[in-house]
Amino acid sequence: MESLDILFIVQLLIAGLLAGALYALLACGLNLVFGVMRIINVAHAELMLIGAYFAYVLYTFFGLHPLISLVIVVPVLFGLGQLMQRLFIERVVGQHELSSLILTYGLSIVLMNLGLAVFSADFKSIPVLQGSIVLGEMITIPITRSTAALVAIVITLMVYLFLKKTRLGKAIRATSEHPKVAEICGIDVVRVRMLTFGLATAMAGAAGVMLSTIYSFSPETGADFILKCFAIIIIGGMGSFSGAFAGGILLGVAEALVAGFFTTQWSEMVAYALLVLVLLIRPTGLRGIAYAR
Amino acid sequence: MRFADSSMDKHPLLTIRQLDASYGPVQVLFDIDMEVYRGEIVSIIGPNGAGKSTVIKAILNIATPCAGNITFNNREITKLPTHGVAALGIGYVPQGRIVFSNMSVEENLEMGAFLMKEHLARKVAVDKVFDQFPRLRERRRQLAGRLSGGEQQMLAIGRALMLDPTLVILDEPSLGLSPKYVDIIFEHLIALRDDGRTLLMVEQNAARALSTSDRGYALELGKNRYTGTGKELLANPAVRQMYLGGGNTLSTAPESFHENASPTACNAPTSLSPTSLSFHRTMGHTT
Ligand SMILES: Nc1ncnc2c1ncn2[C@@H]1O[C@H](COP(=O)(O)OP(=O)(O)OP(=O)(O)O)[C@@H](O)[C@H]1O
Ligand SMILES: [Mg+2]
């Protein structure tokens, strides 16, 4: 009996980790943008859906496997993100928070309706092979899900290393802490912000591609995700990359456990329950010294 | 290299001409003129709110002047974006010893050399600064936020030196430091000058600043009030009374440097001067 329980929990933990990895990838990008510009991008989940539909189109018209699409989607969205920063977001940097919220909210509405116009409200999915690896007879690991999670983790890690180790990555961190001092160091902060938004968009796009392999999605799918992402970055600590990662994994696992022991409906609430819980114990979030880490 | 013979240079390294600046509707600088020659230490003194930091921020275009011009090395830099200033050979140590506190000491210095694209060149530059500040070398891997105030100020100075600037601009380098570190910082400033650099600094500690400086400018309510050599200003009774007496050496809270309130255009019909003129005591300029 006992061993069955433990196996059941392990199974849930694995499912949670796999889902959490995707949350983490998405939330890290959102928090990166917040850290550098103090802007919450309400359209972040729509950027993810651009990635998902892009993969869908490449699959339907060219038969490309989403893993291959990744190589096309990521650079294109990196460019698209930079363009969006240049054209729209840059205008509200340093302005009142309401300006950026309204702008990005407007952007999300436009993108969603564009999606509805082009792809309709029907749910789409990409039928990739859905096998499983069975470990020790009891534990099953779904192949597509774990591939998606692995890709998400690798991309998140790569961006993390970029921020930690490279000259431009360090410039992003410096800009998020003191934009004026960064400028004095010769850093063109406008370009840093373009780079940042490009990176975040590319990360969201990659999350979308991986999403397309495991879920069905519609232009309205963004809403669920963005609310969870908000919860994650507050749980992890606003502006903290590693916090967003931890928060994403935590949410994935918590949702899976609740879904396993109670019902899926309850798991929809987990993000907010967790949010309240973390804020009660640590008002600045898991990785919280207020801003930017 | 040394430029000890600064009197030989006819052209100032830095010139400020008829500079006006305002924050929103409030004009804070009126017709400021200043010159800095190669190899000099020049101090700007004045009471709180006199506009000292604003002069410096105007040079770096952090505060946008609404009238007047600024030249460096015979080149007009009034409208040069802030991130372009470092490349010209101007290093800046902001008020309140601002460091990137979530980055290591070494990374802070690397940021000072951001414009060097070669990793190796940056390492060499970091090493040179470590030679000047051995204390920083000992702490190279520590987060800058964990350093003591004096060490952070060294780091801020070190960061400003990374591109080997001709002119180093310092805003209140001794503010809020323990007396021991004030001494250390001033020693470093003199060493920088002896190294051939030119220094322009703002200091509340006017007595200390003037005795270290070749020349000084005393500001009051955003205007040039007195100028002269450090010795002359120190000896001037009016300056002594206004800038070296009554509590001006008290330190203030570090100002909100990173706030977004950057000054806008000088539409300024309102200015501080009409009401505040009543404060003025009429005293002649020293020479
Ligand atoms: N960001 C800002 N927004 C609005 N007003 C400002 C701003 N910064 C400075 N001021 C005002 O401009 C005037 C000059 O300020 P400045 O910081 O140049 O003075 P200061 O001589 O450096 O003073 P302190 O010794 O306090 O550093 C002051 O009246 C100040 O209140
Ligand atoms: Mg000041």
Side-chain angles (χ1 to χ4, degrees):
Chain A
M1 259 345 232
E2 280 225 336
S3 75
L4 203 84
D5 276 354
I6 290 175
L7 281 176
F8 181 55
I9 292 175
V10 169
Q11 189 69 62
L12 289 177
L13 284 178
I14 291 174
L17 276 174
L18 297 185
L22 213 56
Y23 286 155
L25 174 59
L26 200 59
C28 281
L30 186 65
N31 229 6
L32 187 61
V33 167
F34 179 81
V36 171
M37 312 182 211
R38 302 293 182 268
I39 283 175
I40 293 182
N41 178 18
V42 182
H44 194 66
E46 274 69 37
L47 301 180
M48 171 187 82
L49 288 176
I50 293 180
Y53 278 104
F54 203 160
Y56 175 79
V57 167
L58 290 176
Y59 176 80
T60 347
F61 290 99
F62 305 101
L64 285 189
H65 190 281
L67 277 178
I68 297 168
S69 297
L70 213 51
V71 186
I72 302 167
V73 174
V74 167
V76 170
L77 263 72
F78 179 64
L80 178 73
Q82 297 199 60
L83 196 69
M84 285 172 70
Q85 173 68 28
R86 187 79 201 166
L87 293 179
F88 307 119
I89 313 291
E90 185 63 32
R91 292 168 201 272
V92 294
V93 171
Q95 306 287 318
H96 193 276
E97 279 147 14
L98 205 54
S99 320
S100 59
L101 282 177
I102 291 172
L103 174 71
T104 56
Y105 184 61
L107 218 53
S108 80
I109 303 267
V110 168
L111 289 173
M112 188 182 80
N113 282 295
L114 219 60
L116 287 171
V118 178
F119 297 101
S120 84
D122 298 345
F123 278 81
K124 302 278 196 284
S125 61
I126 300 177
V128 284
L129 195 64
Q130 305 281 349
S132 289
I133 301 168
V134 181
L135 287 182
E137 292 183 26
M138 297 305 291
I139 297 173
T140 59
I141 299 178
I143 291 174
T144 18
R145 274 174 186 266
S146 36
T147 311
L150 194 68
V151 168
I153 287 177
V154 166
I155 292 177
T156 313
L157 200 69
M158 274 163 51
V159 176
Y160 178 78
L161 288 177
F162 170 75
L163 293 172
K164 275 282 173 210
K165 300 285 178 203
T166 69
R167 170 172 165 271
L168 283 177
K170 288 173 189 178
I172 289 180
R173 282 157 62 209
T175 305
S176 79
E177 221 183 309
H178 287 299
K180 286 295 169 202
V181 181
E183 271 194 273
I184 288 151
C185 292
I187 296 169
D188 183 345
V189 293
V190 174
R191 287 189 53 198
V192 164
R193 289 195 285 260
M194 279 174 68
L195 175 65
T196 304
F197 206 82
L199 268 178
T201 308
M203 290 167 84
V209 175
M210 295 336 285
L211 175 99
S212 75
T213 65
I214 51 181
Y215 294 114
S216 50
F217 52 92
S218 87
E220 287 152 333
T221 306
D224 309 339
F225 277 91
I226 197 67
L227 287 176
K228 283 180 185 174
C229 275
F230 290 163
I232 290 169
I233 63 174
I234 298 170
I235 289 168
M238 297 294 286
S240 160
F241 194 89
S242 49
F245 185 79
I249 300 286
L250 187 67
L251 179 62
V253 169
E255 279 187 349
L257 288 177
V258 170
F261 285 103
F262 303 96
T263 73
T264 343
Q265 267 130 8
W266 282 77
S267 81
E268 291 298 307
M269 279 176 33
V270 167
Y272 311 101
L274 212 56
L275 176 68
V276 172
L277 198 70
V278 168
L279 288 186
L280 281 177
I281 302 166
R282 265 183 83 92
T284 51
L286 299 176
R287 294 280 292 161
I289 44 165
Y291 287 145
R293 261 241 213 138
Chain B
M1 27 165 196
R2 287 197 53 148
F3 297 95
D5 232 355
S6 62
S7 55
M8 299 288 283
D9 276 305
K10 294 190 294 282
H11 294 293
L13 181 63
L14 179 80
T15 322
I16 299 175
R17 286 277 169 266
Q18 294 167 1
L19 183 73
D20 289 353
S22 59
Y23 291 100
V26 184
Q27 188 168 355
V28 296
L29 293 184
F30 303 86
D31 219 17
I32 295 289
D33 283 306
M34 270 180 207
E35 277 131 37
V36 178
Y37 291 88
R38 275 181 194 274
E40 281 191 315
I41 298 185
V42 174
S43 287
I44 305 174
I45 61 167
N48 286 147
K52 307 180 297 290
S53 295
T54 308
V55 171
I56 281 181
K57 288 180 186 172
I59 299 170
L60 300 154
N61 215 347
I62 297 169
T64 319
C66 36
N69 63 25
I70 301 167
T71 58
F72 177 73
N73 248 338
N74 297 322
R75 179 181 163 176
E76 164 110 35
I77 60 163
T78 322
K79 299 228 157 56
L80 192 70
T82 304
H83 68 82
V85 173
L88 298 180
I90 298 180
Y92 174 50
V93 182
Q95 182 170 346
R97 44 175 187 280
I98 301 172
V99 293
F100 301 118
S101 51
N102 293 328
M103 300 173 81
S104 72
V105 166
E106 199 166 8
E107 286 174 331
N108 266 268
L109 293 179
E110 282 176 41
M111 284 298 99
F114 175 78
L115 292 175
M116 295 180 174
K117 295 210 166 68
E118 296 279 316
H119 178 73
L120 214 65
R122 289 201 301 275
K123 284 274 174 249
V124 170
V126 168
D127 245 24
K128 263 172 90 178
V129 168
F130 279 155
D131 289 342
Q132 269 168 291
F133 299 95
R135 185 100 186 111
L136 294 181
R137 178 177 272 129
E138 288 166 29
R139 316 217 146 197
R140 63 197 301 166
R141 306 234 179 274
Q142 266 191 35
L143 286 186
R146 300 266 161 82
L147 300 182
S148 74
E151 289 164 345
Q152 286 182 347
Q153 186 62 288
M154 285 184 184
L155 181 56
I157 295 175
R159 187 182 58 204
L161 294 177
M162 286 298 291
L163 291 179
D164 197 16
T166 327
L167 174 67
V168 184
I169 299 178
L170 306 103
D171 198 346
E172 310 274 9
S174 78
L175 183 67
L177 297 184
S178 68
K180 183 189 114 190
Y181 265 113
V182 173
D183 289 343
I184 295 177
I185 294 294
F186 271 98
E187 276 165 30
H188 276 296
L189 298 188
I190 291 167
L192 287 179
R193 195 260 314 271
D194 291 346
D195 220 28
R197 291 182 216 279
T198 308
L199 269 61
L200 173 64
M201 69 170 146
V202 163
E203 257 295 345
Q204 295 254 335
N205 191 343
R208 185 74 188 250
L210 289 177
S211 53
T212 313
S213 298
D214 299 296
R215 286 186 313 110
Y217 291 91
L219 299 191
E220 189 189 6
L221 295 164
K223 295 188 177 121
N224 280 113
R225 203 84 187 101
Y226 306 98
T227 180
T229 65
K231 282 209 184 70
E232 282 167 355
L233 288 175
L234 273 174
N236 182 316
V239 172
R240 293 190 72 87
Q241 192 191 344
M242 293 197 62
Y243 301 98
L244 305 177
N248 284 335
T249 48
L250 280 183
S251 49
T252 49
E255 67 191 42
S256 50
F257 175 76
H258 42 263
E259 268 176 19
N260 275 309
S262 99
T264 50
C266 257
N267 38 15
T270 22
S271 75
L272 282 178
S273 48
T275 43
S276 45
L277 268 177
S278 51
F279 288 98
H280 281 237
R281 272 154 285 184
T282 34
M283 278 184 247
H285 285 241
T286 59
T287 39

